[in-house]
């Protein structure tokens, strides 16, 4: 099973929590001088890991579609 991972960079505050718990799924990058999280791949097989990142996000910037 796979799921689709989307990070809304407008909402993301760059806290790094998603990357800390799920480094295979999320990566912080510089976007116009601010740290923002991105999904490394749009569609992933690691559904549980993707969801862990979604759960720890304090601003609900991550959306998972199964
Ligand atoms: Fe951005 Fe949420 Fe990840 Fe923090 S946990 S870096 S706010 S997407």
């Amino acid at each position: 099973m796979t799921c689709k991972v989307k990070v809304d960079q407008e909402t993301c505050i760059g806290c790094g929590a998603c990357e800390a718990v799920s480094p295979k799924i999320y990566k912080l990058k510089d976007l116009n001088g601010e740290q923002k999280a991105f999904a490394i791949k749009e569609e992933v097989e690691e559904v549980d890991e993707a969801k862990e990142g979604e759960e720890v996000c304090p601003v609900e910037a991550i959306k998972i579609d199964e």
Side-chain angles (χ1 to χ4, degrees):
M1 207 173 82
T2 63
C3 66
K4 291 197 172 156
V5 184
K6 275 225 159 76
V7 182
D8 176 8
Q9 281 86 30
E10 296 264 316
T11 308
C12 172
I13 56 170
C15 72
C18 56
E19 187 189 65
V21 296
S22 310
K24 281 194 233 162
I25 312 292
Y26 305 100
K27 180 143 185 61
L28 263 70
K29 290 190 217 167
D30 186 281
L31 181 72
N32 304 323
E34 289 182 70
Q35 288 290 104
K36 299 286 180 180
F38 290 83
I40 294 170
K41 288 193 294 180
E42 199 177 307
E43 188 154 3
V44 301
E45 289 178 1
E46 296 89 341
V47 177
D48 288 347
E49 280 186 61
K51 281 187 183 169
E52 278 177 44
E54 179 194 30
E55 280 164 21
V56 297
C57 180
V59 292
E60 298 184 5
I62 299 173
K63 295 280 171 279
I64 308 281
D65 278 326
E66 291 184 57

